[in-house]
Amino acid sequence: MLRHRCPNPTCPALKSPTAGFFKTEHSLQTHFGKSKACFEHLIDSATNDEEMDTIPTPNPRKSEDSTDGIVRDEDACDPMESDVPTPKFRIEEYAGAGLRYPVQVGTIWEKRKAQEAPGTRPYGPFSTAAEYDFAKWAIRTRQSLSSIDALLETKFASTHPDPLSFTSGDALRKLLESEAMPAPPKWKSAKIVLSEILDQPQTLYYRDLNEAIDYLFGNPSYANVMDYAPRRIFDESGQRVYHEFCSGDGWWEAQSKVPAGTTIIPIILASDKTNLTSHTGGRMAHPLYLTLGNIRKDVRAAIHRQAYLLLAYIPILSKIKQKLRNKTMKKMMPGILSKRLYHQCLSKIFSPLRGQKLYRAVDAEGFERETCRVLMSWIADMEEVWMILGLGHFVCPFCCVRKNELDCPHEFSSRTSYSVKQSIADVRAALVEVDGVERGSMEDTWSFAQAAKKAGLCGVETPFWGWMDGDEAGVSVDIIRVMSYDLLHWCHKPFADYIVPWTQNVVDEADGGESEIDLRLRLQIPRPGFRHFTNGISGFSQWTQGDTRDLEKEFLGAIAGAPRASRPLLQATRSFLDYIYLATYPYHTESTLHQLEEHTKVFEDTRPVYVSLGGRISETTGEVIDSFLIPKLHIPRHVTGCIRWKGTLDGSSTEGSERLHIDLVKEAWRASNHREGHLLQMIRWVDLRERIDALELYLCWRDEIWPPEKAGEGEVGGDGDEDGARERDEGEASGTVKKQMGAQKGWNVPDPITDNVYYSLNKRPHLPRTALRNVITLFEIPDFVTDLLDYFQTKSIGGIPLAFTDLDIWTQVRILLPVPNDFMKPEWRRVRAQPEQKIFDAVLVNDGDAEVIGLQGAATGDFEFEILSF
């Protein structure tokens, strides 16, 4: 967490040369609002090219060349002292960016609280807390109106001493939809008609894009996790640092195209088709989600923070009623028209931004800003990316490489919006007009799609983004650069789909005997943070995200030393794994990006080994394929450009949208009656749930229990081991006790942990009141009594106190691992000492002389058990 300091040399807070630092941007701007002298000093020193209606208050600027990574909890404080220097970073803010008006108009929460009668604590439209809790239960458990009616008609409900003010499910719904409830952006509908199928109009359900942006931008729950201006970060060696969205070059370049003082709102979209039914029915939905690049990536990734908003349900064209002239057209035209329908729907959604000017919006802290909304990121899988860009299959979305040159080592020219539009225009110009065939008819579309396919296009003639790189856009946008690098489908999936089966084809026996890789995986020693593949991997018919990530940790160690695993094969596999782990870094410098490029180049140079050893085999013919014409293995050469443009990739993966499908689509589907018109029912349920969630956040803030407790929120990161779910259940059942361990020398852990390390224990010990002699026998530690005597001697206590004859023993503990800088999140790791299973995890102990990074000075040992002392 980087500190802020008032630039006014006569500021009252600057009592000494090292004082006057503020914890957050919000704290410093609050200081400017209270200190008239500091505010006037800031305005006098600011140089703006254009004047606004009223004088805006700039975001705080760093006046130091470097700053430490830790601050205390107080707003104004002295720098913390440390025996080991913490990493320092130099921040270069974009001058005159992200300014705000000085008068605070108030957040939606503050305005709502001001309307409440003094001394009252109303629960929205509900008269009591019991009614509010009942409404939460009914919506979140997807109760139907008939189920609610049946419950309210019971004798228990009718004779309850605190009767409810509503007597039916319909009355409850009307209360939830009343003006007394917080209102999310309203849903709209539009009929989308394709010229080829006039008799099949499609319905688009969507929200106004500007209203949705204002709703997220002004959400008070994000007040301390928003960035309003781009910045460039440099480490002590002068290397560029890439972290949040604001640290990339894309926001910096967009800021240079808007008037001084403007706040850029980077629009981030995510879209993907998902199944509504399982096994039967064939029902699908195509949701479009919206979030903002101003919101920090860890908040966007936390589903319970609701940083994503369901923006639209895009209609899916499944069949065509019109009779077509041949089977080929009948098979392919639904897909071609679906892509055209997709672009026409998005044209409707983006219409508010076309020809836009600046919009005045209220931020999460209650201040007005002049904003410019810019589409800067789109998270999607490969199929969706091709459809968005209007490209055909098996082409690279980032460069103009041909399909048959995907494995060529040469560099190719970058693809741009203009080049795609030019290709579309060239295809149309080359078409020969046929008498009797009207423009936009089925026959004309079919002819264009066939010609477009040969040119590497998908058949879309009017892409929705066609105007975004022209004069109608407030900021010129290249749609190619908008596409985000998807970690799930472009890193983890290729490993499971290509590297693993190719390696299995090489290493495993050809006679159909037991898999060598399965045997080696089973023989791996169970370790904390690693999954033990008890049954191997040959039985996996479908890989989940967790399966792939767990195997990546074990795979290289399992195949090393196998009879057919040659050194080039290990080198190729390792280089791809190195590429995956570097790509997922939450914090990048130019050095790590150079390493990423090197590992990508090594993989391209060494991957022919899969062909020479017979691993790259066709699933249909069984013959060896001697080429690598696979887009997902070509795309890694573009990964560093994406990081430099939009920050690290951990904030742009379809893993997030896959999780959103569960909460906003599949749960909504279960709340519907699964019949015609189910989308309207899904939308209504989503709207009611958003109202309940918004009211809950407001009540938590008003009643000063902010932030609200969420399950699992306290655990940052995870172990990734197979026992994690069981262990979490045990912890939730018994509760946990978190204690603060002694400060570790040389470690920098983000606020509020400061220089300390936390550990987490179950409230109830695993082995309560265990006799000392039994502990010695069970854990096979004969020197334990001697060690206890030595310990108490250091405390000036003679002998072992009576209280230590029977001990409460914990056989596992969770420790929050420290991190080397402020841009990385700490992780919880489980450490076990389970004598029955003969599991004693290895640990590294810092005795005070260990390195900040590395193992030098750390002592090794086995974790035996934990004794909680008071």
Side-chain angles (χ1 to χ4, degrees):
M1 186 176 295
L2 302 172
R3 295 175 302 170
H4 303 261
R5 190 178 185 181
C6 179
N8 183 10
T10 61
C11 174
L14 298 175
K15 299 179 181 179
S16 68
T18 58
F21 288 95
F22 292 83
K23 173 183 173 183
T24 64
E25 180 178 316
H26 173 69
S27 302
L28 181 57
Q29 294 194 2
T30 301
H31 166 73
F32 286 141
K34 294 179 179 178
S35 177
K36 183 178 180 181
C38 296
F39 174 71
E40 292 178 349
H41 172 82
L42 194 65
I43 295 302
D44 292 340
S45 60
T47 55
N48 294 327
D49 296 333
E50 297 185 13
E51 297 276 336
M52 294 188 178
D53 296 338
T54 59
I55 300 176
T57 302
N59 280 336
R61 297 286 178 256
K62 295 285 186 257
S63 59
E64 303 85 17
D65 289 338
S66 63
T67 178
D68 293 338
I70 298 181
V71 295
R72 293 180 183 145
D73 287 336
E74 293 81 11
D75 282 346
C77 61
D78 296 333
M80 294 191 68
E81 297 181 359
S82 176
D83 295 333
V84 179
T86 55
K88 295 185 178 182
F89 301 93
R90 179 172 62 87
I91 308 299
E92 180 184 345
E93 301 264 7
Y94 194 102
L99 307 188
R100 71 185 189 187
Y101 292 99
V103 179
Q104 189 174 21
V105 298
T107 66
I108 55 175
W109 289 352
E110 292 168 340
K111 294 177 180 178
R112 184 182 185 89
K113 186 176 181 180
Q115 295 174 356
E116 296 178 355
T120 63
R121 290 183 176 273
Y123 293 88
F126 306 105
S127 57
T128 63
E131 286 190 3
Y132 166 63
D133 289 338
F134 182 89
K136 282 199 301 182
W137 167 82
I139 297 301
R140 290 177 176 174
T141 58
R142 308 184 308 276
Q143 299 297 318
S144 65
L145 294 182
S146 58
S147 298
I148 297 174
D149 290 342
L151 177 60
L152 294 177
E153 290 173 359
T154 61
K155 187 175 182 180
F156 172 80
S158 59
T159 61
H160 196 274
D162 296 325
L164 301 174
S165 62
F166 48 86
T167 57
S168 66
D170 188 62
L172 172 60
R173 178 181 287 180
K174 289 181 180 179
L175 284 177
L176 290 170
E177 294 177 344
S178 66
E179 294 183 356
M181 288 289 290
K186 294 183 179 180
W187 283 88
K188 302 179 179 181
S189 65
K191 291 293 183 182
I192 307 297
V193 180
L194 296 178
S195 60
E196 297 86 352
I197 45 173
L198 296 175
D199 59 337
Q200 286 186 252
Q202 304 294 316
T203 304
L204 167 68
Y205 296 102
Y206 69 104
R207 285 163 157 161
D208 183 86
L209 184 56
N210 278 324
E211 291 180 7
I213 291 172
D214 290 340
Y215 182 76
L216 289 174
F217 189 70
N219 191 329
S221 66
Y222 308 139
N224 295 322
V225 291
M226 297 277 281
D227 293 310
Y228 298 109
R231 62 187 58 171
R232 289 174 175 168
I233 308 172
F234 301 88
D235 63 13
E236 290 178 302
S237 63
Q239 288 192 91
R240 181 79 178 272
V241 173
Y242 301 93
H243 180 48
E244 291 286 350
F245 199 94
C246 64
S247 65
D249 294 330
W251 192 341
W252 190 279
E253 182 176 308
Q255 193 71 50
S256 66
K257 300 177 181 178
V258 297
T262 303
T263 300
I264 293 285
I265 300 182
I267 299 172
I268 301 177
L269 297 177
S271 59
D272 185 26
K273 288 183 181 179
T274 184
N275 291 313
L276 296 177
T277 56
S278 300
H279 309 299
T280 59
R283 294 287 183 90
M284 298 186 71
H286 199 160
L288 177 66
Y289 306 106
L290 166 73
T291 189
L292 306 180
N294 308 89
I295 304 172
R296 306 275 169 80
K297 61 182 180 180
D298 58 329
V299 177
R300 298 199 305 268
I303 299 298
H304 71 270
R305 295 299 301 270
Q306 303 165 15
Y308 280 88
L309 189 68
L310 181 59
L311 184 62
Y313 279 122
I314 301 174
I316 300 174
L317 182 65
S318 57
K319 59 183 179 180
I320 299 175
K321 296 179 181 178
Q322 184 177 336
K323 189 175 181 180
L324 303 177
R325 58 183 170 86
N326 57 50
K327 292 183 178 179
T328 306
M329 284 186 67
K330 187 175 181 180
K331 179 182 179 181
M332 297 183 63
M333 279 306 295
I336 296 171
L337 295 183
S338 291
K339 294 179 176 65
R340 293 194 167 206
L341 175 64
Y342 180 84
H343 279 259
Q344 200 161 328
C345 289
L346 290 175
S347 295
K348 178 68 176 178
I349 293 171
F350 280 100
S351 59
L353 300 186
R354 194 164 186 170
Q356 71 164 348
K357 302 300 180 182
L358 298 183
Y359 291 88
R360 185 172 296 189
V362 179
D363 64 21
E365 300 170 13
F367 290 92
E368 289 185 321
R369 296 174 183 267
E370 296 291 341
T371 65
C372 180
R373 292 96 194 272
V374 183
L375 177 62
M376 296 189 68
S377 182
W378 200 310
I379 304 169
D381 61 15
M382 185 65 83
E383 291 285 339
E384 191 96 358
V385 167
W386 284 330
M387 183 165 60
I388 292 169
L389 300 181
L391 300 177
H393 289 189
F394 303 106
V395 300
C396 175
F398 299 111
C399 69
C400 296
V401 61
R402 300 177 182 272
K403 283 196 245 183
N404 58 353
E405 297 175 335
L406 284 170
D407 57 355
C408 182
H410 304 304
E411 294 292 331
F412 296 88
S413 60
S414 299
R415 195 183 298 275
T416 62
S417 297
Y418 176 80
S419 67
V420 177
K421 290 192 295 183
Q422 188 61 45
S423 297
I424 294 174
D426 292 343
V427 170
R428 171 53 68 181
L431 281 180
V432 178
E433 294 187 5
V434 179
D435 292 338
V437 178
E438 297 182 4
R439 184 79 174 266
S441 65
M442 188 73 75
E443 287 293 334
D444 177 70
T445 299
W446 173 251
S447 300
F448 178 85
Q450 294 301 104
K453 185 178 180 180
K454 297 177 182 178
L457 303 172
C458 71
V460 173
E461 191 168 358
T462 309
F464 72 90
W465 43 262
W467 57 272
M468 291 186 180
D469 60 348
D471 296 335
E472 292 183 272
V475 174
S476 178
V477 172
D478 188 337
I479 194 65
I480 305 299
R481 286 191 159 180
V482 168
M483 294 298 105
S484 293
Y485 198 94
D486 180 19
L487 287 178
L488 176 60
H489 291 91
W490 298 352
C491 284
H492 301 296
K493 281 282 190 181
F495 174 75
D497 294 342
Y498 305 124
I499 305 302
V500 172
W502 293 349
T503 307
Q504 285 178 308
N505 293 337
V506 174
V507 175
D508 288 347
E509 293 284 351
D511 58 4
E514 184 180 12
S515 168
E516 177 73 18
I517 294 180
D518 285 353
L519 175 62
R520 289 172 166 267
L521 285 172
R522 286 200 300 270
L523 294 177
Q524 295 290 317
I525 300 173
R527 305 180 309 283
F530 294 83
R531 176 176 172 179
H532 186 246
F533 289 86
T534 308
N535 299 318
I537 58 174
S538 296
F540 282 34
S541 59
Q542 185 174 1
W543 290 86
T544 65
Q545 302 172 26
D547 293 336
T548 306
R549 290 176 180 271
D550 292 339
L551 184 60
E552 288 166 0
K553 301 177 183 179
E554 296 280 352
F555 194 70
L556 188 62
I559 66 173
R564 298 171 184 80
S566 62
R567 183 178 180 83
L569 178 68
L570 295 176
Q571 188 178 13
T573 305
R574 176 178 176 175
S575 61
F576 195 83
L577 288 170
D578 287 338
Y579 146 72
I580 291 176
Y581 281 115
L582 281 167
T584 56
Y585 269 19
Y587 162 91
H588 270 289
T589 65
E590 288 296 336
S591 294
T592 59
L593 292 181
H594 178 71
Q595 293 175 37
L596 185 53
E597 292 171 346
E598 286 295 318
H599 290 303
T600 303
K601 182 68 168 58
V602 170
F603 175 73
E604 291 183 355
D605 293 341
T606 58
R607 67 188 178 188
V609 69
Y610 295 111
V611 175
S612 62
L613 296 179
R616 173 100 162 90
I617 299 176
S618 170
E619 295 181 357
T620 55
T621 64
E623 298 178 354
V624 176
I625 303 174
D626 60 357
S627 63
F628 293 90
L629 304 180
I630 303 173
K632 291 182 181 180
L633 296 184
H634 166 85
I635 281 180
R637 64 174 62 183
H638 301 292
V639 62
T640 55
C642 293
I643 294 173
R644 290 187 175 99
W645 191 251
K646 288 178 284 194
T648 52
L649 304 180
D650 54 333
S652 60
S653 175
T654 52
E655 290 177 88
S657 59
E658 296 281 356
R659 182 62 182 83
L660 289 169
H661 288 339
I662 298 175
D663 284 358
L664 300 179
V665 180
K666 298 183 185 295
E667 287 291 312
W669 164 256
R670 296 185 185 106
S672 71
N673 61 10
H674 302 177
R675 300 174 184 172
E676 290 298 326
H678 62 274
L679 277 178
L680 285 174
Q681 297 175 18
M682 293 167 63
I683 287 170
R684 193 166 195 176
W685 180 84
V686 169
D687 180 75
L688 294 177
R689 176 172 169 172
E690 288 175 346
R691 289 170 180 264
I692 283 288
D693 292 341
L695 180 60
E696 182 182 30
L697 288 176
Y698 165 72
L699 294 177
C700 290
W701 169 81
R702 186 199 65 185
D703 298 338
E704 297 181 351
I705 53 175
W706 182 260
E709 294 293 333
K710 294 288 181 178
E713 185 177 357
E715 295 188 4
V716 185
D719 289 347
D721 56 294
E722 57 189 351
D723 298 328
R726 176 181 58 81
E727 181 189 346
R728 284 192 294 272
D729 292 341
E730 292 176 356
E732 291 171 1
S734 60
T736 59
V737 177
K738 292 184 179 178
K739 290 292 178 180
Q740 197 171 11
M741 300 173 68
Q744 271 197 326
K745 184 178 179 181
W747 285 107
N748 173 14
V749 185
D751 183 79
I753 302 164
T754 65
D755 272 340
N756 302 303
V757 177
Y758 279 80
Y759 66 87
S760 174
L761 292 173
N762 287 351
K763 283 186 177 179
R764 293 192 295 269
H766 301 98
L767 302 174
R769 312 310 301 162
T770 305
L772 184 58
R773 61 179 180 277
N774 294 336
V775 173
I776 296 172
T777 304
L778 181 62
F779 290 90
E780 300 178 0
I781 44 176
D783 297 334
F784 183 54
V785 173
T786 304
D787 293 336
L788 270 181
L789 289 171
D790 293 340
Y791 170 77
F792 287 118
Q793 188 174 358
T794 62
K795 303 296 182 181
S796 300
I797 300 175
I800 299 176
L802 186 61
F804 279 79
T805 56
D806 293 317
L807 303 176
D808 288 333
I809 303 296
W810 280 260
T811 59
Q812 65 182 24
V813 59
R814 278 183 175 266
I815 297 177
L816 189 64
L817 299 182
V819 292
N821 59 61
D822 299 291
F823 298 102
M824 301 180 71
K825 294 193 301 182
E827 292 186 12
W828 287 96
R829 277 297 172 88
R830 182 180 55 152
V831 184
R832 299 168 297 177
Q834 298 168 349
E836 294 181 357
Q837 292 82 14
K838 299 298 182 183
I839 298 176
F840 295 95
D841 293 332
V843 294
L844 295 174
V845 181
N846 181 3
D847 58 4
D849 298 321
E851 293 179 328
V852 175
I853 300 177
L855 303 180
Q856 189 69 32
T860 61
D862 290 334
F863 180 73
E864 297 293 346
F865 56 83
E866 176 81 14
I867 304 173
L868 188 60
S869 59
F870 298 92

